[in-house]
Amino acid sequence: MNEQLTPYPFTENEREEVVEEAMRDNLLGLLEAPLFDRINRKELFDTLNLYYGFVKELFSEEEELRAQNVPGANLYYHGIPHCVFQTPRDAIIITRMIIERDDKFSAHLTLEGALAIIGGAFFHDVGHVSDGRVDNYAARTTIHVEESMRMFGDTVNKLGLPEGIDKEKVKRLGKIGIHGTNFPFTTKRSEDKPDVPSRLEEAKELVKNMSPDEKKEAHIVRLAVQLADLGGQCARPDYFPDLVKKLREELNSVTPGLGTTVIGKNSELRSKKDSFIHTFVKKQPAFTRNTKAKTVPSQAPNVEITALAFFGNEPSTPL
């Protein structure tokens, strides 16, 4: 693995120009892959930079308000460092790692699927800020994934993609990737709300009209975006304890005590981290039979879909 294929190396306080230069280099490295031979690489690079700037601008107002201690500007975790820097950067790295496998698994990923992973990562938390200034940004947590999916489709329609790229396919797969960032990604219906589908049921609905081959790619995109998002919890050098405390503060600002319940007290952070990685990184809900994770039957039995399928059997961080 070369030097670029490493866990996210930056803390929240790293200078933006340092992070953006690294992201630019990562993206240029990805676009060198033969998968992108059929399109104009410079045009695609410029287009992705346009999307990047669009998303960064959406988050900038809340960042500025929070710096001024304006009430309701409370995205202490879901701000630019996670949503614009870390998750897209990790998505680029993950996509490159999938392509460099050069095996039956990576053969399912098309150019459109690769762009869906990156686009899904760009937009996965945009729903927090997609309506401009609001009274409580963090309170949008219950609707932000659906809003992010909508915003992704609308923005692809607005900004477009280079000629030769199937825009509808990118939108379809990108929305599946964003949907995968719902947390928790429930596999069963709640006893309190038996009429509300689980996240797994929703995911199966999104792919039900796809061919078996399309489903395989959709599952790869979903997990890749999930894994990029999880990089904030598992691979950032400042997550434990600094960022996890900010996530706790953000959740507490939505519902008093929620963050403390979900994240735990300071003394519980180590055990919470180990449990999180074991439960949500090594055992991702999947649609395939060919996986070590708990699975459900599907029409795509030949796609490994655990986080470790990307990165081997190392027991530490997934990136």
Side-chain angles (χ1 to χ4, degrees), residues 94 101 110 129 155 191 207 216 277 285 310 315:
I94 290 167
R101 288 171 64 113
T110 64
V129 295
T155 305
E191 293 182 1
V207 303
K216 293 176 183 179
I277 291 177
F310 290 125

Side-chain angles (χ1 to χ4, degrees), residues 287-298:
F287 298 98
T288 75
R289 297 186 183 94
N290 185 23
T291 172
K292 297 177 182 178
K294 183 178 181 180
T295 63
V296 295
S298 79

Side-chain angles (χ1 to χ4, degrees), residues 8 29 48 76 101 104 117 122 131 139 142 157 182 218 299 315:
Y8 189 79
L48 291 174
Y76 305 111
R101 288 171 64 113
K104 292 181 179 180
I117 294 172
F122 274 150
D131 280 351
T142 57
N157 288 337
N182 273 291
Q299 297 183 49

Side-chain angles (χ1 to χ4, degrees), residues 90 193 215:
D90 284 352
K193 299 179 180 178
K215 287 182 179 180

